[in-house]
Amino acid sequence: MADIFQIPGTDWQLERLTVGPLLMNSYLISSPGTGEAMLVDPGDEPARLLQSIADTGCQLTHLLCTHTHFDHISAASAIQKTNHLPLRHHPDDGPLLEMLADTRAMY
């Protein structure tokens, strides 16, 4: 499922993509005028997220997460391989990243 919202007064679009078995929302923010896009919370379904990025005609310039729970970052590594971007996260989330495989296994 995807919903696209136009941000008033700009050419920016916000696309909400519900991904993965936990139905987590990823957000793709793009600007055709600047040709840039950012993806927030790349939770799952990397091929679908990459296709949504390509559909905007914009280049992904930022990859962010609100926190590093597995359902918010599971697609990050595949997207990083394609776009060569770091995943930006709060420094205090480092320990959660180290436990990613363990927390994913609980579900």
Side-chain angles (χ1 to χ4, degrees), residues 41-64:
D41 290 337
D44 203 351
E45 303 179 48
R48 181 173 165 223
L49 294 174
L50 288 167
Q51 184 60 55
S52 292
I53 295 163
D55 289 348
T56 69
C58 295
Q59 179 180 350
L60 188 66
T61 57
H62 295 84
L63 186 59
L64 312 159

Side-chain angles (χ1 to χ4, degrees), residues 8-25:
T10 73
D11 73 337
W12 287 88
Q13 292 185 349
L14 171 67
E15 182 174 359
R16 179 179 60 199
L17 300 123
T18 304
V19 297
L22 298 180
L23 302 175
M24 199 284 308
N25 291 320

Side-chain angles (χ1 to χ4, degrees), residues 6 8 18 32 36 39 42 45-46 57 61 64-65 70 74 76 91 93 97 105:
Q6 187 69 39
T18 304
E36 296 180 347
L39 182 63
E45 303 179 48
T61 57
L64 312 159
C65 65
F70 78 93
S74 289
D93 275 356
L97 280 174

